[in-house]
Amino acid sequence: MQIDRFFHWLGEFLGDALRVVVDALSTLFAGLWVAIDRFFDGLARSLGVNPSLINLVVLVIGIWMLYRGIRALVRRAFVGGIIWLFLGLLVLGWLMR
């Protein structure tokens, strides 16, 4: 009888410990998801676009083009830099209208 109580207590203890860990991780990731969602929502609203996945992908592509243009200008590839900057500005301008 004594051994049955011990294993019952051990099972409850492990179950409670797992429950605490799962609840803590769930709370952490839920808070992280809310923070990421609010960041993208604020970013999209400040640019005047809808906070959709496609708009965010186009935004990343436009910023990447601007980065490539600046990088080309630093390497003294002026024609390529101007083309990349123009394309990046074209994409971002199209997105923000």
Side-chain angles (χ1 to χ4, degrees):
M1 246 2 216
Q2 205 60 316
I3 198 95
D4 290 342
R5 285 189 208 159
F6 171 73
F7 281 112
H8 180 73
W9 171 82
L10 183 62
E12 282 184 355
F13 178 74
L14 288 176
D16 290 341
L18 284 173
R19 175 57 114 188
V20 168
V21 170
V22 169
D23 285 344
L25 289 174
S26 176
T27 302
L28 174 74
F29 287 121
L32 184 63
W33 179 255
V34 168
I36 291 171
D37 185 48
R38 289 187 180 166
F39 171 77
F40 284 127
D41 187 53
L43 179 66
R45 300 240 185 258
S46 71
L47 295 174
V49 298
N50 292 330
S52 69
L53 183 62
I54 293 174
N55 286 342
L56 293 175
V57 168
V58 172
L59 175 67
V60 168
I61 290 171
I63 292 172
W64 174 74
M65 289 178 170
L66 289 178
Y67 171 74
R68 292 284 310 245
I70 292 171
R71 200 168 141 209
L73 290 176
V74 168
R75 288 181 296 154
R76 296 183 184 183
F78 295 113
V79 175
I82 290 172
I83 290 172
W84 277 114
L85 286 174
F86 176 74
L87 288 174
L89 291 174
L90 186 71
V91 167
L92 290 175
W94 170 76
L95 177 68
M96 291 179 198
R97 286 194 180 185

